[in-house]
Amino acid sequence: MSARGWAGIGLAVLLCAAFLKFCVRIVPADAPAPMASPRPAAADVGALLIPVEGVPPTALSDTFTRARASGARPHDAIDIMAARGRAVLAAADGRIEKLFWSGEGGRTIYQRSSDGRLIYYYAHLDGYAPGLAEGQAVRRGQRIASVGSTGNADPGAPHLHFAVHEMAPGEAWYGGRPVNPYPLLARPL
């Protein structure tokens, strides 16, 4: 074989090695899921983190304008289907405004954004993260609860009911104007 042939083979081996080192990550099937990054990537600044660990944007469905099963009022949120106990993550930096139990939402969290202009509402939770308390600052990606089916949710279909409300200055945690969270979560990659 000529020197040119060996050089081509050497280059191919080098490129394959570089590809494996920088582009391929081999993970055993029984490896634990990676922890969510508590800080946004530069490309994600301004967008909300999908608040259920391991759920990709392609798994989301825009249920914001759909009528509820009772037909009495609009949904004004999206439901993110996930296994019971899956980690619920803070969608953005902020502060826990209210931990609340209601007949409809079950175990809930109201989180106010850092600038005070938005409330993030997480409902049907199975449980809160240990030590979570009203007034506590939370960071984007921090585990705050777990997925469940409390309140009026179907016990056989655990999910996170996630809503966003735009708040007027001084408005209470239970007020605000509904904002569709779907386009804030299902952003193009």
Side-chain angles (χ1 to χ4, degrees):
M1 185 175 274
S2 71
R4 199 174 215 186
W6 284 110
I9 291 173
L11 179 60
V13 169
L14 183 62
L15 289 174
C16 285
F19 176 78
L20 289 173
K21 176 162 178 61
F22 297 110
C23 300
V24 175
R25 180 174 171 214
I26 299 172
V27 178
D30 60 346
M35 294 298 292
S37 171
R39 297 300 313 150
D44 289 342
V45 172
L48 295 179
L49 178 76
I50 294 174
V52 178
E53 184 177 56
V55 173
T58 55
L60 301 178
S61 178
D62 188 354
T63 58
F64 183 76
T65 58
R66 289 192 190 147
R68 292 176 181 265
S70 67
R73 56 192 167 99
H75 194 217
D76 289 344
I78 67 167
D79 290 334
I80 303 172
M81 307 309 289
R84 183 178 314 284
R86 175 77 56 97
V88 173
L89 311 172
D93 292 350
R95 187 165 302 281
I96 301 301
E97 185 86 6
K98 187 74 173 170
L99 302 177
F100 188 74
W101 178 272
S102 75
E104 293 174 342
R107 186 171 289 111
T108 66
I109 296 173
Y110 290 81
Q111 175 198 342
R112 193 172 294 265
S113 63
S114 296
D115 64 9
R117 295 179 17 214
L118 299 171
I119 287 282
Y120 308 113
Y121 174 68
Y122 311 80
H124 305 309
L125 305 172
D126 206 36
Y128 299 127
L132 191 72
E134 291 179 9
Q136 177 181 347
V138 292
R139 304 295 288 179
R140 174 187 165 109
Q142 179 179 334
R143 184 183 183 134
I144 57 174
S146 56
V147 170
S149 57
T150 59
N152 66 2
D154 177 352
H159 66 279
L160 173 67
H161 172 97
F162 181 69
V164 177
H165 290 126
E166 190 173 50
M167 309 301 287
E171 194 167 11
W173 55 272
Y174 49 82
R177 181 184 63 79
V179 174
N180 187 351
Y182 180 78
L184 303 173
L185 299 170
R187 62 199 175 274
L189 298 176

